[in-house]
Amino acid sequence: MSNRELVVLSVGGVRFVTRASTLQQFPESRLARMLNDDDREFKLVNGEFFVDRDGTLFSYIMDFLRTLQVSLPTDFSDYQRLQREAEFYGLYPLADLLSQEHLLKPRLEILEVHFFLQEMLSFFRIFGSCSTTVETLAEQITVFTGQQSRQSWNTPFPSQKPLIPLPLERPSHHDMAFQCGTDYSAGDQFVARYVSIKPDNRKLINGTNVLGLLLDTLLKDGFRLISTKTVSSEEKIKCYSFERMKRGAGLTVTVNQTPGSSGVAQAKRSQVQKGK
């Protein structure tokens, strides 16, 4: 029986087809022993192994055997039941990872954009509960600056002098600040600051346009606008609040076959950060 290439299981009436090698990822598990007719819980009926367990939860167990990762939907809540199923099948590395429910659960992520317009200058400050998101956003935003004369202001943009990129202000790992617009200096000169936000290639100087592009970028990245309010009536600072559900950490198991181990798999835990 252990030499069969494809195996069909009926778990609580739900049918699964997989390779024998997939079920043998953990040789001491009940699923591996099942192939040797070494477990009475699994009945061979018409060429299919039947077990009276939860078929829906078994789909997550099959995904783990195929990828060696725990990756659950954001709305998943049956951690204890899935852990119990993993223990039933003798998949103790999986049960161990599921016991770390605080790592696997999705977390609510908050981000705020503060916008302040003063004459020809616009000021932005972004606060985020997740430093990784703020870091990624900081890599997307570039501020360019250049000194121009009043006479050159009305000339087409390509004829202006080359612009110099400026670093963003980073007061902490959880926030950033930048500005755009024009600021007159002594004489006939003024300083112009443009903002570019990837993947958009435009260099924008108007603060309202930059704000619109920034908000659109966040919405495309999975954030949801939950409120807009004025946080300072005197300075007219607008605050745009966003939220999104961020996936928990994906946990992975590395299976090593060591000489002299009689084919017994050794599991080592490591943590892999998943996407949004």
Side-chain angles (χ1 to χ4, degrees):
M1 190 73 67
S2 59
N3 293 326
R4 64 168 66 204
E5 181 179 357
L6 294 181
V7 180
V8 181
L9 299 94
S10 177
V11 184
V14 182
R15 195 168 181 266
F16 297 87
V17 181
T18 187
R19 294 180 179 273
S21 58
T22 301
L23 300 175
Q24 292 169 333
Q25 287 277 20
F26 299 90
E28 293 189 342
S29 71
R30 298 182 76 171
L31 290 171
R33 298 200 310 267
M34 170 193 74
L35 299 178
N36 298 318
D37 292 330
D38 196 23
D39 197 310
R40 295 182 179 180
E41 284 284 349
F42 299 87
K43 306 295 184 182
L44 187 60
V45 181
N46 297 327
E48 298 184 8
F49 288 100
F50 174 80
V51 59
D52 191 16
R53 303 295 294 190
D54 190 306
T56 300
L57 292 178
F58 189 74
S59 64
Y60 300 118
I61 289 176
M62 283 303 308
D63 182 67
F64 169 75
L65 290 173
R66 289 164 176 153
T67 65
L68 296 182
Q69 291 184 353
V70 182
S71 182
L72 302 172
T74 55
D75 59 349
F76 185 81
S77 60
D78 289 334
Y79 292 94
Q80 292 184 351
R81 289 183 60 211
L82 184 55
Q83 182 180 349
R84 188 168 62 243
E85 292 299 294
E87 292 171 348
F88 169 82
Y89 291 108
L91 295 170
Y92 298 108
L94 173 57
D96 185 36
L97 296 185
L98 288 168
S99 68
Q100 303 179 67
E101 186 177 330
H102 64 287
L103 293 177
L104 292 167
K105 275 187 174 180
R107 302 186 305 274
L108 182 64
E109 184 179 353
I110 303 296
L111 189 139
E112 288 187 350
V113 176
H114 290 202
F115 174 66
F116 172 46
L117 180 61
Q118 184 181 50
E119 297 181 352
M120 299 296 290
L121 282 175
S122 297
F123 300 86
F124 294 83
R125 189 161 185 178
I126 302 174
F127 304 85
S129 61
C130 177
S131 60
T132 303
T133 297
V134 176
E135 197 69 41
T136 301
L137 190 58
E139 293 175 357
Q140 292 179 257
I141 300 174
T142 306
V143 178
F144 298 89
T145 185
Q147 197 172 50
Q148 308 291 336
S149 66
R150 293 175 185 264
Q151 288 79 10
S152 66
W153 177 246
N154 293 322
T155 61
F157 177 75
S159 67
Q160 294 181 359
K161 298 178 181 179
L163 299 176
I164 302 171
L166 285 177
L168 301 180
E169 297 179 41
R170 295 299 308 276
S172 75
H173 293 298
H174 289 271
D175 65 331
M176 74 179 82
F178 60 92
Q179 56 182 286
C180 65
T182 56
D183 184 19
Y184 285 97
S185 58
D188 194 39
Q189 301 293 315
F190 67 88
V191 176
R193 289 185 178 86
Y194 300 81
V195 173
S196 176
I197 305 177
K198 296 177 182 178
D200 194 293
N201 294 320
R202 292 173 296 170
K203 294 182 177 66
L204 304 176
I205 195 170
N206 182 280
T208 303
N209 293 340
V210 173
L211 177 65
L213 178 58
L214 176 60
L215 301 186
D216 185 58
T217 300
L218 294 174
L219 293 173
K220 289 180 179 179
D221 197 31
F223 280 97
R224 181 173 67 94
L225 181 63
I226 56 175
S227 70
T228 302
K229 60 184 178 181
T230 301
V231 296
S232 174
S233 57
E234 294 181 359
E235 295 181 330
K236 297 182 180 179
I237 299 177
K238 289 283 189 181
C239 173
Y240 300 84
S241 299
F242 294 82
E243 70 176 19
R244 73 174 175 186
M245 292 301 295
K246 185 179 180 182
R247 278 187 176 275
L251 298 178
T252 184
V253 167
T254 303
V255 180
N256 297 319
Q257 297 289 346
T258 58
S261 63
S262 301
V264 176
Q266 296 181 343
K268 181 179 66 176
R269 288 180 297 174
S270 62
Q271 193 168 321
V272 178
Q273 186 66 36
K274 300 300 275 187
K276 53 199 171 191

